Amino acid sequence: MKNKLLAAALGLLLSAAASAAPFTWPGGAKAAVSLGYDDALDSQLDHVIPALNQRGLRASFYIPINGPTLPARQHEWKAAAAAGHELGNHSLFHSCSANGPGRTWVQPHRDLERQTAAQVQEQVIAANTWLQSLDGRTRRTFTPPCFDLTAGGQDFAKALQPHFVAFRAAPPALTTDTAQLDPYAMPAYFVEGWTGEQLIALVEKAAAQGAMVSLLFHGVGAEHLSVTREAHDALLDHLAKNKARFWTDSMVNIMENLRKQAGR
């Protein structure tokens, strides 16, 4: 009996290994790089989007509909979408759980512990409708605020999967092959306070492994959870000078490519 169990386990391992295949990237690039910016901040419109456009790079911007740049600057978000950037879903009101350390900033009426899964699902779908009115697109990705996936103790995210190409909602890691791919648990690196050297080292690590890497920014040179402009621009310069090695695109474009390669 023991030998049969061992043989079955070995068979499963061999099957998984056989089904795993490394990703291939457009133009023979060595890595896919997703640059994502959360919370619809002024610094993203003032500095990030012009810097990306100048270098011919595309990124994703995760916009809560109550973000600080809305509604006064929504025409600029419309222009960003027209330039090829993704307007990703970040819910209507950026609700998070107030539980746990560092969550004292969560207002009671935005506390996921006081909401139901159905309420959050309605809000996220409504945010999709609003974003479509800006960019005319029906396919996009979702970043749940704070990476929280439950409301009132119930999962709200699974029922939302048909509405999105992917979720950015897992701890940091590189995605290296098709067996690793879970479109609704894609990892991201929080890069608050990172230097240009650290950011470049991360994308170089992805290139060495033929991986997809997702970087999560908030403020750039301002606001919260920020990196300096100098660090951010050093990364963009590195990506722009090495376009043959790095495929830098929106999360939705990268994920559609990955899903096709993985047959998902």
Side-chain angles (χ1 to χ4, degrees), residues 107-132:
Q107 298 171 297
H109 64 291
R110 301 260 167 80
D111 182 1
L112 287 176
E113 305 304 326
R114 305 183 183 206
Q115 300 179 26
T116 67
Q119 285 175 315
V120 176
Q121 289 158 2
E122 286 184 347
Q123 292 171 19
V124 173
I125 292 169
N128 258 4
T129 301
W130 188 89
L131 291 167
Q132 186 180 355

PDB file of all heavy atoms in Angstrom, residues 107-132:
ATOM      1  N   GLN A 107     -11.815  54.012   7.663  1.00  0.00           N
ATOM      2  CA  GLN A 107     -13.003  54.627   8.268  1.00  0.00           C
ATOM      3  C   GLN A 107     -14.081  53.566   8.506  1.00  0.00           C
ATOM      4  O   GLN A 107     -14.198  52.610   7.729  1.00  0.00           O
ATOM      5  CB  GLN A 107     -13.536  55.724   7.352  1.00  0.00           C
ATOM      6  CG  GLN A 107     -12.554  56.868   7.135  1.00  0.00           C
ATOM      7  CD  GLN A 107     -13.030  57.821   6.056  1.00  0.00           C
ATOM      8  OE1 GLN A 107     -13.173  57.467   4.892  1.00  0.00           O
ATOM      9  NE2 GLN A 107     -13.294  59.054   6.461  1.00  0.00           N
ATOM     10  N   PRO A 108     -14.872  53.729   9.554  1.00  0.00           N
ATOM     11  CA  PRO A 108     -15.871  52.705   9.879  1.00  0.00           C
ATOM     12  C   PRO A 108     -16.793  52.355   8.720  1.00  0.00           C
ATOM     13  O   PRO A 108     -17.105  51.177   8.504  1.00  0.00           O
ATOM     14  CB  PRO A 108     -16.646  53.328  11.049  1.00  0.00           C
ATOM     15  CG  PRO A 108     -15.647  54.239  11.700  1.00  0.00           C
ATOM     16  CD  PRO A 108     -14.819  54.791  10.585  1.00  0.00           C
ATOM     17  N   HIS A 109     -17.225  53.354   7.942  1.00  0.00           N
ATOM     18  CA  HIS A 109     -18.156  53.059   6.853  1.00  0.00           C
ATOM     19  C   HIS A 109     -17.463  52.456   5.631  1.00  0.00           C
ATOM     20  O   HIS A 109     -18.121  52.040   4.679  1.00  0.00           O
ATOM     21  CB  HIS A 109     -18.928  54.316   6.440  1.00  0.00           C
ATOM     22  CG  HIS A 109     -18.091  55.412   5.860  1.00  0.00           C
ATOM     23  ND1 HIS A 109     -17.190  56.140   6.608  1.00  0.00           N
ATOM     24  CD2 HIS A 109     -18.004  55.892   4.596  1.00  0.00           C
ATOM     25  CE1 HIS A 109     -16.595  57.037   5.840  1.00  0.00           C
ATOM     26  NE2 HIS A 109     -17.071  56.911   4.608  1.00  0.00           N
ATOM     27  N   ARG A 110     -16.122  52.375   5.682  1.00  0.00           N
ATOM     28  CA  ARG A 110     -15.369  51.729   4.607  1.00  0.00           C
ATOM     29  C   ARG A 110     -14.691  50.444   5.099  1.00  0.00           C
ATOM     30  O   ARG A 110     -13.799  49.926   4.442  1.00  0.00           O
ATOM     31  CB  ARG A 110     -14.306  52.689   4.074  1.00  0.00           C
ATOM     32  CG  ARG A 110     -14.890  53.998   3.542  1.00  0.00           C
ATOM     33  CD  ARG A 110     -15.003  53.989   2.029  1.00  0.00           C
ATOM     34  NE  ARG A 110     -15.821  55.106   1.574  1.00  0.00           N
ATOM     35  CZ  ARG A 110     -15.399  56.360   1.447  1.00  0.00           C
ATOM     36  NH1 ARG A 110     -14.158  56.654   1.762  1.00  0.00           N
ATOM     37  NH2 ARG A 110     -16.220  57.298   1.000  1.00  0.00           N
ATOM     38  N   ASP A 111     -15.133  49.953   6.218  1.00  0.00           N
ATOM     39  CA  ASP A 111     -14.553  48.754   6.825  1.00  0.00           C
ATOM     40  C   ASP A 111     -15.225  47.516   6.236  1.00  0.00           C
ATOM     41  O   ASP A 111     -16.436  47.324   6.364  1.00  0.00           O
ATOM     42  CB  ASP A 111     -14.759  48.797   8.335  1.00  0.00           C
ATOM     43  CG  ASP A 111     -14.157  47.613   9.065  1.00  0.00           C
ATOM     44  OD1 ASP A 111     -13.551  46.735   8.413  1.00  0.00           O
ATOM     45  OD2 ASP A 111     -14.304  47.563  10.307  1.00  0.00           O
ATOM     46  N   LEU A 112     -14.456  46.665   5.582  1.00  0.00           N
ATOM     47  CA  LEU A 112     -15.016  45.463   4.979  1.00  0.00           C
ATOM     48  C   LEU A 112     -15.636  44.525   5.997  1.00  0.00           C
ATOM     49  O   LEU A 112     -16.495  43.708   5.650  1.00  0.00           O
ATOM     50  CB  LEU A 112     -13.933  44.718   4.188  1.00  0.00           C
ATOM     51  CG  LEU A 112     -13.495  45.353   2.866  1.00  0.00           C
ATOM     52  CD1 LEU A 112     -12.346  44.559   2.257  1.00  0.00           C
ATOM     53  CD2 LEU A 112     -14.653  45.447   1.882  1.00  0.00           C
ATOM     54  N   GLU A 113     -15.208  44.609   7.248  1.00  0.00           N
ATOM     55  CA  GLU A 113     -15.801  43.758   8.271  1.00  0.00           C
ATOM     56  C   GLU A 113     -17.265  44.122   8.523  1.00  0.00           C
ATOM     57  O   GLU A 113     -18.024  43.321   9.069  1.00  0.00           O
ATOM     58  CB  GLU A 113     -15.007  43.862   9.577  1.00  0.00           C
ATOM     59  CG  GLU A 113     -13.520  43.554   9.446  1.00  0.00           C
ATOM     60  CD  GLU A 113     -13.231  42.191   8.863  1.00  0.00           C
ATOM     61  OE1 GLU A 113     -14.014  41.256   9.122  1.00  0.00           O
ATOM     62  OE2 GLU A 113     -12.226  42.059   8.137  1.00  0.00           O
ATOM     63  N   ARG A 114     -17.671  45.325   8.121  1.00  0.00           N
ATOM     64  CA  ARG A 114     -19.046  45.789   8.327  1.00  0.00           C
ATOM     65  C   ARG A 114     -19.878  45.728   7.052  1.00  0.00           C
ATOM     66  O   ARG A 114     -21.006  46.212   7.016  1.00  0.00           O
ATOM     67  CB  ARG A 114     -19.039  47.231   8.845  1.00  0.00           C
ATOM     68  CG  ARG A 114     -18.212  47.422  10.110  1.00  0.00           C
ATOM     69  CD  ARG A 114     -18.300  48.836  10.608  1.00  0.00           C
ATOM     70  NE  ARG A 114     -17.463  49.057  11.786  1.00  0.00           N
ATOM     71  CZ  ARG A 114     -17.692  49.978  12.706  1.00  0.00           C
ATOM     72  NH1 ARG A 114     -18.740  50.787  12.595  1.00  0.00           N
ATOM     73  NH2 ARG A 114     -16.879  50.124  13.737  1.00  0.00           N
ATOM     74  N   GLN A 115     -19.310  45.166   5.984  1.00  0.00           N
ATOM     75  CA  GLN A 115     -20.010  45.063   4.719  1.00  0.00           C
ATOM     76  C   GLN A 115     -20.253  43.601   4.378  1.00  0.00           C
ATOM     77  O   GLN A 115     -19.634  42.704   4.944  1.00  0.00           O
ATOM     78  CB  GLN A 115     -19.195  45.748   3.611  1.00  0.00           C
ATOM     79  CG  GLN A 115     -18.955  47.225   3.865  1.00  0.00           C
ATOM     80  CD  GLN A 115     -18.135  47.882   2.764  1.00  0.00           C
ATOM     81  OE1 GLN A 115     -18.131  47.422   1.623  1.00  0.00           O
ATOM     82  NE2 GLN A 115     -17.434  48.948   3.102  1.00  0.00           N
ATOM     83  N   THR A 116     -21.158  43.376   3.427  1.00  0.00           N
ATOM     84  CA  THR A 116     -21.419  42.016   2.967  1.00  0.00           C
ATOM     85  C   THR A 116     -20.693  41.776   1.647  1.00  0.00           C
ATOM     86  O   THR A 116     -20.329  42.726   0.926  1.00  0.00           O
ATOM     87  CB  THR A 116     -22.918  41.771   2.750  1.00  0.00           C
ATOM     88  OG1 THR A 116     -23.370  42.577   1.651  1.00  0.00           O
ATOM     89  CG2 THR A 116     -23.711  42.128   4.010  1.00  0.00           C
ATOM     90  N   ALA A 117     -20.509  40.515   1.325  1.00  0.00           N
ATOM     91  CA  ALA A 117     -19.882  40.173   0.045  1.00  0.00           C
ATOM     92  C   ALA A 117     -20.691  40.730  -1.115  1.00  0.00           C
ATOM     93  O   ALA A 117     -20.127  41.247  -2.089  1.00  0.00           O
ATOM     94  CB  ALA A 117     -19.743  38.657  -0.064  1.00  0.00           C
ATOM     95  N   ALA A 118     -22.014  40.655  -1.015  1.00  0.00           N
ATOM     96  CA  ALA A 118     -22.865  41.141  -2.107  1.00  0.00           C
ATOM     97  C   ALA A 118     -22.699  42.643  -2.309  1.00  0.00           C
ATOM     98  O   ALA A 118     -22.678  43.132  -3.451  1.00  0.00           O
ATOM     99  CB  ALA A 118     -24.330  40.807  -1.812  1.00  0.00           C
ATOM    100  N   GLN A 119     -22.575  43.398  -1.228  1.00  0.00           N
ATOM    101  CA  GLN A 119     -22.376  44.843  -1.354  1.00  0.00           C
ATOM    102  C   GLN A 119     -21.069  45.155  -2.086  1.00  0.00           C
ATOM    103  O   GLN A 119     -21.028  46.014  -2.976  1.00  0.00           O
ATOM    104  CB  GLN A 119     -22.356  45.482   0.040  1.00  0.00           C
ATOM    105  CG  GLN A 119     -23.709  45.589   0.702  1.00  0.00           C
ATOM    106  CD  GLN A 119     -23.587  46.110   2.134  1.00  0.00           C
ATOM    107  OE1 GLN A 119     -22.723  45.662   2.903  1.00  0.00           O
ATOM    108  NE2 GLN A 119     -24.444  47.041   2.502  1.00  0.00           N
ATOM    109  N   VAL A 120     -20.000  44.464  -1.723  1.00  0.00           N
ATOM    110  CA  VAL A 120     -18.708  44.726  -2.354  1.00  0.00           C
ATOM    111  C   VAL A 120     -18.745  44.327  -3.820  1.00  0.00           C
ATOM    112  O   VAL A 120     -18.227  45.050  -4.694  1.00  0.00           O
ATOM    113  CB  VAL A 120     -17.584  43.981  -1.608  1.00  0.00           C
ATOM    114  CG1 VAL A 120     -16.248  44.180  -2.314  1.00  0.00           C
ATOM    115  CG2 VAL A 120     -17.504  44.463  -0.165  1.00  0.00           C
ATOM    116  N   GLN A 121     -19.362  43.203  -4.135  1.00  0.00           N
ATOM    117  CA  GLN A 121     -19.464  42.770  -5.525  1.00  0.00           C
ATOM    118  C   GLN A 121     -20.202  43.808  -6.372  1.00  0.00           C
ATOM    119  O   GLN A 121     -19.764  44.139  -7.489  1.00  0.00           O
ATOM    120  CB  GLN A 121     -20.173  41.417  -5.595  1.00  0.00           C
ATOM    121  CG  GLN A 121     -19.328  40.269  -5.066  1.00  0.00           C
ATOM    122  CD  GLN A 121     -20.150  39.080  -4.633  1.00  0.00           C
ATOM    123  OE1 GLN A 121     -21.375  39.071  -4.751  1.00  0.00           O
ATOM    124  NE2 GLN A 121     -19.485  38.059  -4.099  1.00  0.00           N
ATOM    125  N   GLU A 122     -21.279  44.357  -5.860  1.00  0.00           N
ATOM    126  CA  GLU A 122     -22.021  45.397  -6.582  1.00  0.00           C
ATOM    127  C   GLU A 122     -21.146  46.619  -6.826  1.00  0.00           C
ATOM    128  O   GLU A 122     -21.185  47.236  -7.897  1.00  0.00           O
ATOM    129  CB  GLU A 122     -23.282  45.788  -5.810  1.00  0.00           C
ATOM    130  CG  GLU A 122     -24.394  44.764  -5.872  1.00  0.00           C
ATOM    131  CD  GLU A 122     -25.654  45.252  -5.169  1.00  0.00           C
ATOM    132  OE1 GLU A 122     -25.581  46.258  -4.429  1.00  0.00           O
ATOM    133  OE2 GLU A 122     -26.710  44.626  -5.361  1.00  0.00           O
ATOM    134  N   GLN A 123     -20.358  46.990  -5.824  1.00  0.00           N
ATOM    135  CA  GLN A 123     -19.504  48.168  -5.955  1.00  0.00           C
ATOM    136  C   GLN A 123     -18.413  47.962  -7.003  1.00  0.00           C
ATOM    137  O   GLN A 123     -18.124  48.860  -7.797  1.00  0.00           O
ATOM    138  CB  GLN A 123     -18.884  48.506  -4.597  1.00  0.00           C
ATOM    139  CG  GLN A 123     -19.881  49.001  -3.566  1.00  0.00           C
ATOM    140  CD  GLN A 123     -19.268  49.114  -2.180  1.00  0.00           C
ATOM    141  OE1 GLN A 123     -18.050  49.157  -2.039  1.00  0.00           O
ATOM    142  NE2 GLN A 123     -20.108  49.161  -1.152  1.00  0.00           N
ATOM    143  N   VAL A 124     -17.815  46.785  -7.013  1.00  0.00           N
ATOM    144  CA  VAL A 124     -16.744  46.514  -7.971  1.00  0.00           C
ATOM    145  C   VAL A 124     -17.294  46.477  -9.393  1.00  0.00           C
ATOM    146  O   VAL A 124     -16.684  47.025 -10.328  1.00  0.00           O
ATOM    147  CB  VAL A 124     -16.023  45.196  -7.611  1.00  0.00           C
ATOM    148  CG1 VAL A 124     -15.030  44.806  -8.696  1.00  0.00           C
ATOM    149  CG2 VAL A 124     -15.313  45.339  -6.271  1.00  0.00           C
ATOM    150  N   ILE A 125     -18.443  45.864  -9.585  1.00  0.00           N
ATOM    151  CA  ILE A 125     -19.050  45.818 -10.920  1.00  0.00           C
ATOM    152  C   ILE A 125     -19.463  47.227 -11.368  1.00  0.00           C
ATOM    153  O   ILE A 125     -19.295  47.591 -12.541  1.00  0.00           O
ATOM    154  CB  ILE A 125     -20.242  44.845 -10.923  1.00  0.00           C
ATOM    155  CG1 ILE A 125     -19.732  43.403 -10.734  1.00  0.00           C
ATOM    156  CG2 ILE A 125     -21.031  44.954 -12.220  1.00  0.00           C
ATOM    157  CD1 ILE A 125     -20.817  42.396 -10.450  1.00  0.00           C
ATOM    158  N   ALA A 126     -19.963  48.043 -10.432  1.00  0.00           N
ATOM    159  CA  ALA A 126     -20.304  49.427 -10.771  1.00  0.00           C
ATOM    160  C   ALA A 126     -19.063  50.217 -11.175  1.00  0.00           C
ATOM    161  O   ALA A 126     -19.102  51.046 -12.094  1.00  0.00           O
ATOM    162  CB  ALA A 126     -20.996  50.103  -9.586  1.00  0.00           C
ATOM    163  N   ALA A 127     -17.937  49.951 -10.514  1.00  0.00           N
ATOM    164  CA  ALA A 127     -16.687  50.605 -10.888  1.00  0.00           C
ATOM    165  C   ALA A 127     -16.272  50.222 -12.304  1.00  0.00           C
ATOM    166  O   ALA A 127     -15.764  51.059 -13.066  1.00  0.00           O
ATOM    167  CB  ALA A 127     -15.582  50.247  -9.896  1.00  0.00           C
ATOM    168  N   ASN A 128     -16.485  48.963 -12.692  1.00  0.00           N
ATOM    169  CA  ASN A 128     -16.205  48.542 -14.065  1.00  0.00           C
ATOM    170  C   ASN A 128     -17.013  49.352 -15.066  1.00  0.00           C
ATOM    171  O   ASN A 128     -16.508  49.782 -16.105  1.00  0.00           O
ATOM    172  CB  ASN A 128     -16.532  47.057 -14.240  1.00  0.00           C
ATOM    173  CG  ASN A 128     -15.306  46.173 -14.232  1.00  0.00           C
ATOM    174  OD1 ASN A 128     -14.187  46.642 -14.025  1.00  0.00           O
ATOM    175  ND2 ASN A 128     -15.506  44.886 -14.450  1.00  0.00           N
ATOM    176  N   THR A 129     -18.290  49.558 -14.758  1.00  0.00           N
ATOM    177  CA  THR A 129     -19.157  50.321 -15.657  1.00  0.00           C
ATOM    178  C   THR A 129     -18.660  51.753 -15.798  1.00  0.00           C
ATOM    179  O   THR A 129     -18.619  52.314 -16.907  1.00  0.00           O
ATOM    180  CB  THR A 129     -20.601  50.321 -15.127  1.00  0.00           C
ATOM    181  OG1 THR A 129     -21.053  48.965 -15.020  1.00  0.00           O
ATOM    182  CG2 THR A 129     -21.528  51.094 -16.045  1.00  0.00           C
ATOM    183  N   TRP A 130     -18.246  52.349 -14.694  1.00  0.00           N
ATOM    184  CA  TRP A 130     -17.736  53.724 -14.739  1.00  0.00           C
ATOM    185  C   TRP A 130     -16.446  53.787 -15.552  1.00  0.00           C
ATOM    186  O   TRP A 130     -16.260  54.693 -16.377  1.00  0.00           O
ATOM    187  CB  TRP A 130     -17.500  54.232 -13.321  1.00  0.00           C
ATOM    188  CG  TRP A 130     -17.166  55.686 -13.276  1.00  0.00           C
ATOM    189  CD1 TRP A 130     -18.041  56.732 -13.181  1.00  0.00           C
ATOM    190  CD2 TRP A 130     -15.859  56.257 -13.320  1.00  0.00           C
ATOM    191  NE1 TRP A 130     -17.353  57.919 -13.174  1.00  0.00           N
ATOM    192  CE2 TRP A 130     -16.018  57.663 -13.257  1.00  0.00           C
ATOM    193  CE3 TRP A 130     -14.579  55.723 -13.403  1.00  0.00           C
ATOM    194  CZ2 TRP A 130     -14.931  58.534 -13.277  1.00  0.00           C
ATOM    195  CZ3 TRP A 130     -13.491  56.591 -13.425  1.00  0.00           C
ATOM    196  CH2 TRP A 130     -13.676  57.976 -13.364  1.00  0.00           C
ATOM    197  N   LEU A 131     -15.545  52.829 -15.350  1.00  0.00           N
ATOM    198  CA  LEU A 131     -14.295  52.823 -16.100  1.00  0.00           C
ATOM    199  C   LEU A 131     -14.544  52.627 -17.592  1.00  0.00           C
ATOM    200  O   LEU A 131     -13.874  53.249 -18.433  1.00  0.00           O
ATOM    201  CB  LEU A 131     -13.373  51.729 -15.565  1.00  0.00           C
ATOM    202  CG  LEU A 131     -12.804  51.978 -14.165  1.00  0.00           C
ATOM    203  CD1 LEU A 131     -12.164  50.706 -13.615  1.00  0.00           C
ATOM    204  CD2 LEU A 131     -11.794  53.123 -14.168  1.00  0.00           C
ATOM    205  N   GLN A 132     -15.522  51.798 -17.927  1.00  0.00           N
ATOM    206  CA  GLN A 132     -15.838  51.598 -19.340  1.00  0.00           C
ATOM    207  C   GLN A 132     -16.330  52.887 -19.987  1.00  0.00           C
ATOM    208  O   GLN A 132     -16.080  53.139 -21.164  1.00  0.00           O
ATOM    209  CB  GLN A 132     -16.894  50.498 -19.499  1.00  0.00           C
ATOM    210  CG  GLN A 132     -17.170  50.136 -20.956  1.00  0.00           C
ATOM    211  CD  GLN A 132     -18.210  49.056 -21.108  1.00  0.00           C
ATOM    212  OE1 GLN A 132     -18.683  48.480 -20.131  1.00  0.00           O
ATOM    213  NE2 GLN A 132     -18.581  48.765 -22.340  1.00  0.00           N
TER     214      GLN A 132
END
